């Protein structure tokens, strides 16, 4: 429960209001549970602010987010809060033709996803971007971290971006405004417990 | 992205199915961001499984969860997934009479909340319990950790419980099935950034 009281007042020439509405880059990394779950929890807040939310799932299998996806689709369609657009690499990015999908590798698919994020950032399509598991293609070098940082630094308007996944590259951590490391203290899988519905997906 | 592959198969006499549906106690602790957000993200998965979800906010001020509360209320009322019951200490527990609320301290209010959780666990009212910020009354000794562990250990049926908050007592961590420590690597408040809408609430 953050109390909203900064410990220092920065000498950055910004007014309190400007500082309050500063666009943020958030990173949830580490080997513990909760990186993506917390990002989708953040999407609830964005939805409540009537913000358009864009989710980009950078995972080959799309099976793990069925609960979050259904919930955010119902919310987006409820006519109460913001809109939600959900894009999945695992089932083929919706903006690519099916015939083109078949020909590309996971690496190319990840880059196609990032190209779309770049276009949306330039167009200010969303107010919150959830780049789920995007740390992996960065870690593997499929997408260039320096380019990502450069694009994020120069993005127009007030667009918040949350990036999840293990092994987020140091260059991204250095640039990000908020970094949380989810550490595993104890997980039932260590004791032979399999993942279960309602908990892992 | 958990792969669902346990590294050991436990010698506990349970079948895989029994082990798969084991009721879990999850704790999100640490000083970083994302403890509650991840718990509410988990509630999306429970909702998607058509489970009844009970949220108990053990905070005096209820202002910080407006986004999550509205989203979960819309979901619970959508007729699509499970139901959601939302109980707030900050505005007075709904099951207590207003005249009684006025007379009790925060400590008593926390204990009243726990008494209701006990009744609901005994009655198997919910399938997922979000005990938001419940680590605080435990840490402060307002609610007895040993009693909580004992009640959780003996709870009937398949009821999952997630407890959030800093300084979760060791006795709870020892008992819990899953513990994630959210560590702060970097937070904009350190640089004088105030909390902002859509991000902190």
């Amino acid at each position: 429960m953050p109390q909203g009281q900064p410990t220092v007042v920065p000498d950055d020439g910004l007014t309190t209001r400007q500082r309050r509405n500063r666009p943020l880059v958030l990173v949830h990394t580490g080997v513990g549970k909760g990186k993506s779950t917390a990002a989708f929890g953040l999407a609830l807040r964005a939805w409540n602010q009537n913000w358009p939310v864009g989710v980009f799932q950078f995972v080959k299998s799309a099976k793990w987010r069925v609960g979050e996806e259904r919930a955010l689709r119902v919310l987006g369609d409820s006519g109460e809060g913001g809109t939600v657009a959900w894009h999945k690499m695992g089932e083929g990015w919706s903006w690519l033709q099916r015939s083109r999908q078949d020909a590309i590798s996971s690496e190319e698919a990840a880059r196609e996803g990032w190209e779309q994020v770049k276009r949306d950032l330039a167009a200010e399509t969303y107010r919150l971007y959830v780049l789920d598991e995007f740390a992996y293609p960065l870690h593997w070098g499929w997408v260039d971290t320096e380019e990502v940082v450069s694009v994020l630094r120069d993005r127009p308007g007030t667009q918040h971006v949350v990036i999840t996944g293990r092994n987020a590259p140091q260059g991204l951590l250095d640039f990000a405004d908020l970094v949380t490391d989810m550490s595993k203290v104890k997980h039932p899988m260590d004791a032979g417990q399999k993942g279960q519905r309602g908990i892992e997906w």
Side-chain angles (χ1 to χ4, degrees), chain A:
Chain A
M1 183 174 50
Q3 299 300 326
Q5 288 303 321
T7 50
V8 293
V9 176
D11 182 24
D12 56 10
L14 296 177
T15 66
T16 298
R17 174 183 292 259
Q18 285 171 324
R19 212 176 290 120
R20 195 176 260 290
N21 294 312
R22 197 150 46 171
L24 298 179
V25 171
L26 305 89
V27 176
H28 299 170
T29 191
V31 302
K33 199 169 140 61
K35 297 182 289 292
S36 295
T37 343
F40 291 111
L42 204 62
L44 300 183
R45 297 182 182 167
W47 170 85
N48 182 55
Q49 296 292 344
N50 299 324
W51 294 353
V53 176
V55 177
F56 294 79
Q57 282 191 277
F58 285 87
V59 280
K60 192 68 186 171
S61 160
K63 95 180 208 203
W64 290 103
R65 309 281 179 250
V66 287
E68 292 89 331
E69 181 181 355
R70 181 164 164 235
L72 283 166
R73 283 192 194 279
V74 166
L75 289 172
D77 294 345
S78 70
E80 293 223 24
T83 57
V84 179
W86 195 287
H87 306 289
K88 281 187 275 198
M89 192 173 103
E91 298 180 0
W93 298 117
S94 54
W95 62 86
L96 294 184
Q97 289 182 334
R98 174 56 56 187
S99 60
R100 194 152 150 237
Q101 300 274 1
D102 295 340
I104 67 176
S105 64
S106 292
E107 183 172 345
E108 287 167 310
R111 271 203 291 270
E112 291 284 357
W114 167 242
E115 291 301 319
Q116 182 61 39
V117 171
K118 278 203 287 187
R119 288 189 290 269
D120 284 326
L121 285 169
E124 299 187 48
T125 307
Y126 308 110
R127 187 79 183 265
L128 174 71
Y129 296 72
V130 178
L131 308 189
D132 189 36
E133 308 285 9
F134 188 48
Y136 290 89
L138 293 176
H139 175 65
W140 294 325
W142 293 357
V143 176
D144 183 58
T145 300
E146 276 188 43
E147 191 210 336
V148 168
V149 167
S150 166
V151 167
L152 291 176
R153 179 179 287 122
D154 296 337
R155 72 194 188 282
T158 307
Q159 304 182 87
H160 302 293
V161 180
V162 53
I163 296 172
T164 76
R166 293 188 189 194
N167 298 317
Q170 192 60 44
L172 177 66
L173 300 182
D174 291 343
F175 171 71
D177 301 289
L178 185 150
V179 178
T180 304
D181 184 276
M182 273 70 170
S183 316
K184 182 180 74 168
V185 176
K186 191 195 278 187
H187 195 290
M189 284 183 199
D190 299 338
Q193 169 79 42
K194 292 199 176 195
Q196 57 183 308
R197 67 194 170 95
I199 301 294
E200 303 292 345
W201 65 86

